[in-house]
Every structure is written in C-alpha cells, then in structure tokens.
Amino acid sequence: MPRPFILLTGFEPFGGESVNPSWQVAQALHGETIAGVRVQSLCLPCAFGDALGVLGAALVRQRPGLVLALGQASGRSDFSVERIAINVDDARIPCNAGRRPIDEPVVRAGPVAYFATLPIKAIVAALREAGLPAAVSQSAGTYVCNHVFYGLMHALRRRPGVRAGFMHLPLLPEQAAARANAPTPPSLPLATLVHGVRLSLATAVATANDLRASGGAEA
C-alpha cells in the first residue's frame, strides 16, 4: 500500500428512501483499522456531477492508497463486485439534484470504459468462502453509481499505485419490507453487509495479484 489509509465511500439516500445501506456500512467502518490500514469514510451526494466534485476533492486532499466505492442495488441479492465502468449517464429517474441525463458521457472525450483495479475475483472468492453471497458483476448500471465508478477510475488513471473499484450492496431488510411490490426484494442485514465489506477490504489490501478464475456471465 503506497498510502496509509483506505477511502470508503457510500451514498446518501435517494429515490424516496430514508436510508442507504452503502453509507450505513461505510459509516460503520469509519476509523476502523483493517489489515493494518485505517479506513476513512465519505458520504457522496446521489447527484450527477456533484458526487464527482466531492469525491475528486477528497482524492486530491487525502491521497488514499485504496478506494472502494459502495452503492445500493435494489433487486440484487449478493455482494456485487463491479468489473467495469462505462462512459455513459442514462438516468431512469432524476438524481437528488433533479438532474436526469440521457445518453450523455460521464467525461467528454474520455475512454469508453475503465476496469476496476481491485482484485475483484479474489474478493468474491473470499466472500463465498466466508459463506456470503457474492459475484462479479459486469455492469454498474448507468445511474449515479456508474457515474461515480467511472469518475473515480478516470481521476486515478495517472496514479498507478492507487487501486480502486466499486461494489453494489443489496437493500437492508427494512427497505425491502417497505416495498409495495411483490415479491419482496432480496436484502441482507446491516451486520452482514458490514462484515462482508470489511472482509473485502482486508482481501484487497492483502492481495497483490487477482485470482485466475472464472467470473464471466452469459448474455
């Protein structure tokens, strides 16, 4: 690790929710030392543009050695470790700032995509070995989560010693129970989410080279 701490980000609630599991988890791990490395947590606004401004300022000011951004994914049942961020914003609903970009680039003239630089397959393997549901995800969507993931990797493109990536988390049980749709969407308790992210960070710190293992998906 070239720097002495991990930056762990989560989002404020959005879409009418009162909580966001990504920030609940990040907040729970703030100040903790994992695998000898201290965690500093940051809450991002769920807003196109604004989120990258807050994140970019933190990267310049704090210069972390490893960054993991967390987000909420309704409908997902596992720890979804994202492989790739794409250069497009295409919002189904407005963000918290009222913006709803459609088919717009995250970064004008930026590359089509960036790959995560965290050991994503090693993280998935460690989670599964611990009995937790986990998978490599091939898409972070086109909402603010992907916006932040792409912007993060773009900001770090000239800092090869800093590894970074994104992980989607399921809803909390109280969020799932409040949904009117049937069936009830999948969820995981906060303690389980915290445990899984803690294990993911420990694996990322300890793993120099990712596993050579299948993590693909059929179309």
Side-chain angles (χ1 to χ4, degrees), residues 65 75 80 89 125 160 169 192:
S80 295
D89 291 331
L169 304 175
T192 301

Side-chain angles (χ1 to χ4, degrees), residues 7-13 20 22-24 26-27 30 40-46 50-51 54-55 58 70:
L7 178 62
L8 181 64
T9 74
F11 284 105
E12 66 182 358
N20 188 315
S22 66
W23 176 236
Q24 298 282 88
Q27 193 174 31
H30 178 68
Q40 293 188 20
S41 299
L42 175 69
C43 186
L44 300 177
C46 188
D50 297 351
V54 173
L55 176 61
L70 303 174

Side-chain angles (χ1 to χ4, degrees), residues 129-179:
E129 187 175 349
L132 299 173
V136 173
S137 170
Q138 317 303 335
S139 173
T142 55
Y143 196 56
V144 185
C145 286
N146 176 77
H147 181 80
V148 162
F149 185 15
Y150 185 94
L152 169 64
M153 304 314 297
H154 186 74
L156 296 176
R157 68 194 184 281
R158 295 193 179 95
R159 300 189 206 173
V162 183
R163 296 189 294 165
F166 196 99
M167 177 186 286
H168 270 116
L169 304 175
L171 298 177
L172 295 167
E174 56 266 36
Q175 292 177 289
R179 299 293 172 103

Side-chain angles (χ1 to χ4, degrees), residues 33-68:
T33 298
I34 298 174
V37 184
R38 189 170 178 82
V39 176
Q40 293 188 20
S41 299
L42 175 69
C43 186
L44 300 177
C46 188
F48 290 100
D50 297 351
L52 293 187
V54 173
L55 176 61
L59 293 174
V60 170
R61 181 178 64 252
Q62 300 177 359
R63 300 185 65 82
L66 188 148
V67 186
L68 177 61

